[in-house]
Structure formats: C-alpha cells, structure tokens
Amino acid sequence: MKVLVLGGTGFIGRHVVKALVANGSDVSIGTRSARAPRNGLVSEREIRLHKRISADDWSAETAEFDVIVNCAGILRARWGESFDAVYRQAPVAIATACAKHNTRFIHVTALGLHAAASSGFITAKLAGEIGVAAANPAACIVRPSLLDGKDGFGARWLRRVAQWPVHFVPSDALGRLAPLDVGELGEVIATLCACDASALPASVEFGGAQSFAMAEYLQALRRKPQPALRVTVPAWLVRCFAHLFDAFH
C-alpha cells in the first residue's frame, strides 16, 4: 500500500508515518521543506498546499498513491499562505482529485469546530470539512480531541504553564477536555489507511479515556505536589493576550 502523508514531518504526521512504516506501508511525506531520506524507508517531496488549490494540481499524486492522508496545517496565516488556502481550498482540491482517481482520502481536522467561532483558524478548518465532504463523500474526516505528546507545540506550552505558581483560567472555559495521546491517533489513522474504500467511515471522532475541565487538566499536568493558585480571568482579557502572543509568534 502506497501512502502519501501531507504534513508528515509535523506533530500529527510524524506519528502517522511511524505507525504506517510499522505496518509495512510504502510511505512518502509531503512537506514544505523536503530532505533526502534519513532512514531509507520514507521519502520526502516538497509540497506547498497553498500553491496547489486546483484538483488538477493533484492528478499525479492521486494516480500514484493508494491513500492520501492530510495532516498538514499552519498555526498562523503568513504572506501568501492563508488559512483558507491551507484548510479549505487545498483539501477540497485533493478530495476532488481523489474522487476522480478512486484514491482514498483521510482528512484530519479537530473536534469542536463551529461556525460562530471568531478564529479564522477554526472557521477555515470547518469550511474545509464541509467542502471535502461535498466534493468526495467517500473521504474520511478524522476529528481528534486535544492532542497530548512531548513533541507538540501546544502540549509543551500547556505543560510549561502548568508549572507556574498561578493558573490563569478563562472565565468561559466551561467545556471539558479529553486529551488524546498523539501516538494513538497515528495508530488509528494507519488502521484507517488499511481499510478498503467501502469500509472507510465518513467520519471518526475520538478522544482520551479521561475528561477534565481546563483548571483540572492544568493541575493534572503539574509535577509539583502543591496545587497552583487559580485565578479566573475575563474572556475578553484572555482574547487580548491571545492576539498579542500571536502577533509576537
């Protein structure tokens, strides 16, 4: 089985590639900065999603591979690389090309996406989901919960914040989190890749076995025995700091 993993050097993609290689698949990685094969097992090719937003741009890959897994993403929009291009236009183009060549397509997004969000990151991901499902009903959309793993940017940040003596918790953080180990996500996606097209589900949603409120999760990540002081912060102030942090990367 030949599989192309887009974003295969990223947080999710690395674990998908590892699980696929363990299953004996012939794996190639699509990444914005390709390198020579490091282990003789996995090849890399330069693919920039924001420059390939037409179905015709993916004809070669959909003819070559049995499965395409899209784990690619960006944390912030850049010059010429918008959320819409990466999360909607390119995935819809891939889905369309896959439908034409009977190539299986697995598209990874996230749980909790909603149209009322004020984040362009979230609304573009949701628009991508909707577009992929419309363009290719046989595609599989994978929605994991919050991902945990030592090599993830968000996971590292949460672990760092958890060690602070004070935990600043947004006043509107009322939902519960079911953190999922990213290695388990990789194994599930590798299993989905092995499914026949007729057995591939339209969507898969899953999370970890335990759920936490935000404050509980920060305490669970804390290495120190004494609990941190909890301070509830107004949602508007949290959003201001989020925009400030994003501006300074």
Side-chain angles (χ1 to χ4, degrees):
M1 178 175 65
K2 294 190 68 174
V3 184
L4 173 64
V5 181
L6 301 172
T9 60
F11 180 42
I12 296 174
R14 288 195 297 272
H15 293 273
V16 173
V17 169
K18 180 180 178 181
L20 285 167
V21 170
N23 288 352
S25 299
D26 181 357
V27 184
S28 294
I29 290 173
T31 177
R32 63 167 60 89
S33 300
R35 299 186 227 174
R38 284 164 281 185
N39 53 16
L41 295 175
V42 180
S43 63
E44 296 185 10
R45 59 183 68 186
E46 184 175 315
I47 295 179
R48 296 176 180 265
L49 263 66
H50 66 288
K51 294 184 177 181
R52 304 180 65 176
I53 57 177
S54 166
D56 291 339
D57 296 333
W58 297 94
S59 296
E61 284 80 11
T62 51
E64 178 182 356
F65 293 94
D66 301 303
V67 188
I68 295 179
V69 180
N70 181 28
C71 306
I74 54 175
L75 291 176
R76 65 185 64 84
R78 305 175 185 138
W79 180 259
E81 192 175 15
S82 67
F83 287 139
D84 188 64
V86 173
Y87 289 125
R88 183 186 67 84
Q89 295 181 66
V92 170
I94 301 167
T96 303
C98 284
K100 182 178 179 180
H101 290 92
N102 295 318
T103 303
R104 284 166 282 161
F105 182 41
I106 297 173
H107 180 58
V108 184
T109 59
L111 279 174
L113 304 179
H114 58 97
S118 58
S119 164
F121 174 88
I122 291 175
T123 54
K125 271 182 169 284
L126 178 59
E129 269 196 20
I130 295 169
V132 165
N136 187 347
C140 176
I141 296 173
V142 177
R143 303 184 187 99
S145 64
L146 177 71
L147 293 172
D148 186 38
K150 62 182 181 180
D151 53 345
F153 176 82
R156 289 198 306 269
W157 172 251
L158 282 172
R159 276 173 165 71
R160 190 179 302 125
V161 169
Q163 311 317 312
W164 292 356
V166 180
H167 288 170
F168 300 96
V169 181
S171 60
D172 61 348
L174 304 176
R176 297 188 70 80
L177 307 169
L180 175 70
D181 182 81
V182 68
E184 294 182 13
L185 173 62
E187 292 170 4
V188 168
I189 293 174
T191 300
L192 289 170
C193 287
C195 292
D196 292 333
S198 59
L200 198 62
S203 65
V204 178
E205 299 182 350
F206 56 99
Q210 291 182 281
S211 66
F212 305 85
M214 173 61 81
E216 295 170 347
Y217 187 48
L218 289 173
Q219 290 291 357
L221 292 175
R222 191 170 172 78
R223 293 190 299 269
K224 301 173 184 177
Q226 66 272 24
L229 174 66
R230 185 186 307 173
V231 175
T232 301
V233 182
W236 65 265
L237 184 58
V238 173
R239 180 155 296 280
C240 288
F241 273 100
H243 286 305
L244 181 64
F245 290 164
D246 191 52
F248 287 96
H249 298 186

